[in-house]
Amino acid sequence: MPPSQEPPLVVDLDGTLLLTDMLHETSLQLVRDAPWKALALPLWLAGGKAALKRRIAQQVRMAVVTLPYNQPLVDWLRAQRAGGRQVVLCTASDQVLADAIAAHLGCFDLVMASDGARNLAGPAKASALAERFGERGFDYAGNSRADLPVWRRARAAIVVNAPPAVARQAEAHGNVQRSFPPARAGLSAWRKALRLHQWMKNLLLFVPLMAAHRIGDGAAWLQLVMAFVAFGLCASSVYLANDLLDLESDRQHPRKRLRPFAAGTLPAWQGAVLVPALAGASLWLAWATAPAFLGWLLVYFVTTWAYSLALKRWALVDCVALAVLYTLRLVAGSAAVAQPLSFWLLACSGFLFLSLAFVKRYAELLVQQAAGKTQAHGRGYLTSDAPIVQNLGVAAGYTAVVVLALYLNSDTVMTMYRAPELVWATVPVLAFWVSWMWLRAARGQMHDDPLVFAFKDRASLVAGAVFVLALAAAGLGRPW
């Protein structure tokens, strides 16, 4: 095909061709894979931004295949190149990363990028392009305020994913040829990123109070409401951090690839700012609730970070860690209201939560298996491990049922309930629910988090209601 009469089409990378920023992505990967090297970031930055990008690029290995590309723009670029037009990738990201991305997409004739000495952004990028193609000798696709100097020296501007203020400034130059409007993230994306639906798991904080029959203690309820919010903020901060540190694995998962940060719907830097803000607010609220509660929240916080950074990559250890995180909510709830925690409650819930942790991992392995994968990325499991994970989980669930049955034969039950024989109804209910959860998981119908699934599942809600009614009937007439 004869060359096009159109001038070269130059395209920016971060926020334009990609729905993310490579400096943010590579920095997060460095923090995840080699946290000790992250301490050197200020020293690297002292050598200039281009030097920083080069040093980080040399330390990480990016999976460019799974990055969130702006597909409508990619399709348009391929059509332009098929028509004989020269297409150029020009970015402030490091040359190493830019070359890898260009090789993957296969639609660029030339790659211009930062080289460790010159940061190819803003006026520097505009000068480099004008020197190579001449003033007004190229069209430029960009997205940010840093692209305004480039658009001023381009023949035509293509505005991609730009904020409204930047789009208006570009229009003021009078050379906007085409626009690719940004997808609006909105509150729903933040709701998903913060996992507000996961806050339902924090209702476990209230279990020790109810198990001790202190339903009428208004002051304790107020304490637990504060504890509930504190745990929610803490959990959301860790969910954000986990998503930011697990971008590569999430993008290879059939469902997790749609998470806001993995899909590029939300910018990673905003999540990185929110992580310490939410954690700080959580710790302040926990301190206002009770010193003992603050201590257990710190244990939860440290354990969750250990899970996010390392434990989730170790087979079986990850499930034990998840069970501990569930159980810590009970321990923290008892600390918030100074209610001693029953050994029986702790033992039964511990085995039950271990079973639910195995449910979660088993469900994920089935999804990966269905996608034709032999190993769960970022986890210590082969997809062929699914049967043994299932067996371990079922065994843990029925151990919880046995512990509950043994508890019902203890002296504690005889003193706490007027009709202790009615409490026995809880045993078949728990046995049914454990079986039901594993049946749904085996059918591939389990939500990634089994507790969240249970709060939405009709059979689980009915089983929970029957369980509570049996306890209420057994203690009928007892002053609470």
Side-chain angles (χ1 to χ4, degrees), residues 122-147:
K125 180 186 286 190
S127 297
L129 291 173
E131 289 172 10
R132 188 170 191 108
F133 302 113
E135 293 287 344
R136 310 289 179 182
F138 60 94
D139 294 348
Y140 181 74
N143 72 295
S144 70
R145 191 176 303 277
D147 294 316

Side-chain angles (χ1 to χ4, degrees), residues 52 83 132 138 142 168 181 249 268 282 322 325 335 343 350 386 437 465 472:
L52 171 70
R132 188 170 191 108
F138 60 94
R168 286 193 297 269
S249 294
S282 168
L322 283 174
L325 290 172
F343 161 79
M437 294 291 280

Side-chain angles (χ1 to χ4, degrees), residues 424-476:
W424 276 97
T426 61
V427 175
V429 171
L430 184 60
F432 161 79
W433 186 67
V434 169
S435 305
W436 174 252
M437 294 291 280
W438 278 101
L439 180 65
R440 294 298 296 271
R443 292 176 176 176
Q445 299 169 338
M446 178 57 59
H447 188 279
D448 282 345
D449 191 291
L451 272 184
V452 174
F453 170 86
F455 281 115
K456 300 177 181 179
D457 176 57
R458 182 177 300 177
S460 298
L461 292 174
V462 170
V466 173
F467 192 96
V468 172
L469 287 174
L471 294 178
L476 195 61

Side-chain angles (χ1 to χ4, degrees), residues 386-401:
I388 187 63
V389 170
Q390 181 183 42
N391 291 337
L392 292 171
V394 172
Y398 273 88
T399 301
V401 176

